[in-house]
Amino acid sequence: MPSVKRDFGVVPQATRPGPQCDDCEIREISVCRSMSPPDLARLQAIISTTHVAAGQPITHEGEPAESLFNVVSGAVKLYKLLPDGRRQITGFLFPGDFLGIALNDTYVYTAEALTPVRLCRFPRRRLEALLREIPNLEHELLNEVATELVAAQDQMLLLGRKTARERVASFLLMLDRGTKRTNRPPNILDLPMSRGDIADYLGLTTETVSRTFTQLRKAGVIALTHRGEVEILDRAGLEAESEGG
Amino acid sequence: MPSVKRDFGVVPQATRPGPQCDDCEIREISVCRSMSPPDLARLQAIISTTHVAAGQPITHEGEPAESLFNVVSGAVKLYKLLPDGRRQITGFLFPGDFLGIALNDTYVYTAEALTPVRLCRFPRRRLEALLREIPNLEHELLNEVATELVAAQDQMLLLGRKTARERVASFLLMLDRGTKRTNRPPNILDLPMSRGDIADYLGLTTETVSRTFTQLRKAGVIALTHRGEVEILDRAGLEAESEGG
DNA sequence: CGACACCTTGACCAACGTCAAATCCGGTGG
DNA sequence: CCACCGGATTTGACGTTGGTCAAGGTGTCG
């Protein structure tokens, strides 16, 4: 297999105008879901499509937020850093997820592509103008952000109160719920992120994540397939593990 | 000092109609901030005022969300529980804060009064109807929820990556920023919550929180006054402590 | 004055982190 | 086809932070 993956995004942020919302594969699972045809046309007028190569940044914490994005394909990680380099990943994004919540027009986290990523880009100023004209769009965004907030609160419970084993089990179940939207074989999870990324998401270390995977494997709850995938062998068992059952 | 505090809320959820938004002391710091007079009148038509006694629940995780609230006075804690009783406090609310984010019309956390609390109550159905008619209100709510999301992400960084000392220092600074909106003497923080509450907010135990307060006091960064208050003696020092300086 | 809840302090312990080495695996080049 | 290289992952030995258990202290309220 030659370097197809790499070529996919050799020009980070390379932008093409003129995508067609009608053909969009994430239309039904994204914020554009309930737009009327005329509203959708206005939205389509301001968007463009962007490719970002694996490992490349998309937004940078602290920089002015000039664009918002919808993830069309690929996977993205969001993180915050402490001055000494400690890192907390606040979320992973998959197709249909919205990216670019900002405060005072400044990105509050860094977003980085885990795989080659295709994005639908909204210039912030123009999107904000549209928000005023299309209340329905603002409504969808409110739903989106509220859902993210609920997820963030679940993550606080995980980070503040769960054991390493419960965290890893919860993580796998969360990933599984997330990929329900795609057409993958059930119970097989692709992990586009490294052990280190998982550790920084769960408030653990690479070693502890690795050891915990091993424990869950030996307990017969999951299996680790050749190419970095995880198979859920015992969903009920995993669910019990995730809350201290 | 007799039991004034207790009497204040002996009838939890006792509701009176007919409050006057014009006189509202939190008008300028709440979601009603930018409403036009006619819009405000429509909002006022659906609200009522509620008192809740200290220690009483306001919403309960998992129950149908029939009302949303604005905190007018007092302090509130929000928390989630694991089946075995482990608790994570996801936030503290103060005057001007909005309460009642729900998913599928179900509360995702329990809210409990820390002190006697006055609330401005919005019936959910009627508020949702108003949202459709007053885009500006939806816009304010979106801002509110986005701000909460940003705070939640900071808290994830705290829970996932900070030491006990950094957590407590960050907590005090956060409280201080929050009370900027009120007219309290600078550098004196009232702590309406117990050490146990602080622990459940910071992902620690009561003992560790207590020990860490003692450490910070001995380091000359804070002082603990007689009546459960904290004085910030060295703000720069506290800020350094909060990020591993 | 006494009960009780909350807070503080102390001694000990365990879960997870740190440091280090072995192993796996894809990619590369002979 | 096979030997080798480098990064990611796994595993092991050991250390540390913060948790657990338990005993005092302190303030409040009846």
Side-chain angles (χ1 to χ4, degrees), chain B residues 71 74-78 91-95 97-100 109 111 114 148:
Chain B
V71 178
V76 174
K77 65 182 172 193
L78 310 178
F92 296 108
L93 302 184
F94 298 99
D97 288 334
F98 192 79
L99 162 61
Y109 44 61
L114 283 168
E148 276 187 58

Side-chain angles (χ1 to χ4, degrees), chain B residues 114-133:
Chain B
L114 283 168
T115 65
V117 165
R118 254 185 315 147
L119 298 167
C120 172
R121 177 176 176 276
F122 307 86
R124 190 176 58 80
R125 290 229 164 276
R126 301 179 72 179
L127 183 65
E128 280 174 0
L130 267 193
L131 283 182
R132 265 172 245 120
E133 297 169 28

Side-chain angles (χ1 to χ4, degrees), chain B residues 13-21 42-51 67-72 118-123 126:
Chain B
Q13 309 275 3
T15 296
R16 293 178 314 175
Q20 293 296 104
C21 288
R42 300 168 82 184
L43 198 56
Q44 185 166 318
I46 70 167
I47 65 176
S48 53
T49 298
T50 299
H51 287 177
S67 302
L68 309 181
F69 305 89
N70 237 343
V71 178
V72 177
R118 254 185 315 147
L119 298 167
C120 172
R121 177 176 176 276
F122 307 86
R126 301 179 72 179

Side-chain angles (χ1 to χ4, degrees), chain A residues 2-242:
Chain A
S3 53
V4 171
K5 270 163 72 180
R6 287 258 151 217
D7 288 345
F8 206 78
V10 280
V11 182
Q13 309 276 0
T15 295
R16 292 179 314 174
Q20 293 296 103
C21 288
D22 297 328
D23 305 339
C24 179
E25 61 231 77
I26 59 158
R27 177 118 150 59
E28 288 309 314
I29 57 172
S30 80
V31 81
C32 329
R33 190 164 24 205
S34 63
M35 309 256 83
S36 69
D39 286 347
L40 199 61
R42 300 168 81 185
L43 197 58
Q44 185 167 319
I46 70 167
I47 64 175
S48 52
T49 298
T50 299
H51 286 177
V52 179
Q56 293 301 309
I58 298 165
T59 70
H60 199 81
E61 182 178 0
E63 287 190 354
E66 279 159 14
S67 301
L68 308 182
F69 305 90
N70 238 342
V71 178
V72 177
S73 71
V76 174
K77 64 182 172 193
L78 310 178
Y79 60 84
K80 297 171 77 81
L81 293 171
L82 285 170
D84 62 4
R86 280 174 288 172
R87 187 177 69 149
Q88 179 65 37
I89 291 185
T90 56
F92 295 107
L93 302 184
F94 298 98
D97 288 333
F98 193 79
L99 162 63
I101 302 303
L103 201 64
N104 301 127
D105 307 339
T106 302
Y107 293 123
V108 293
Y109 45 63
T110 300
E112 195 178 304
L114 283 168
T115 65
V117 165
R118 254 185 315 148
L119 298 166
C120 172
R121 176 175 177 276
F122 307 86
R124 190 178 58 81
R125 291 229 163 278
R126 302 179 73 179
L127 182 64
E128 280 174 1
L130 267 193
L131 283 182
R132 265 173 247 122
E133 297 169 29
I134 311 179
N136 202 26
L137 183 55
E138 190 139 53
H139 186 73
E140 284 292 336
L141 264 185
L142 179 56
N143 276 341
E144 173 78 19
V145 178
T147 303
E148 277 187 57
L149 180 58
V150 169
Q153 288 166 343
D154 282 339
Q155 191 68 0
M156 284 191 233
L157 176 61
L158 180 148
L159 292 169
R161 288 295 177 230
K162 289 191 181 179
T163 65
R165 197 146 162 176
E166 290 162 356
R167 292 181 200 206
V168 171
S170 300
F171 169 70
L172 293 174
L173 289 169
M174 182 215 75
L175 262 195
D176 186 52
R177 277 191 295 276
T179 51
K180 275 278 171 16
R181 301 188 295 199
T182 70
N183 43 355
R184 305 197 82 276
N187 294 332
I188 301 274
L189 296 173
D190 185 40
L191 302 188
M193 67 293 286
S194 71
R195 293 290 186 269
D197 286 338
I198 297 171
D200 281 348
Y201 180 61
L202 299 178
L204 301 169
T205 59
T206 302
E207 293 92 328
T208 298
V209 170
S210 180
R211 278 188 253 267
T212 307
F213 270 113
T214 303
Q215 282 176 34
L216 291 174
R217 182 170 53 71
K218 287 184 177 163
V221 179
I222 61 171
L224 303 175
T225 70
H226 51 94
R227 186 37 185 76
E229 293 170 333
V230 172
E231 181 175 3
I232 299 177
L233 298 176
D234 176 3
R235 179 173 306 267
L238 199 59
E239 275 160 7
E241 294 278 5
S242 77

Side-chain angles (χ1 to χ4, degrees), chain B residues 164 205 207-208 211:
Chain B
T205 60
E207 294 93 326
T208 298
R211 278 189 255 266

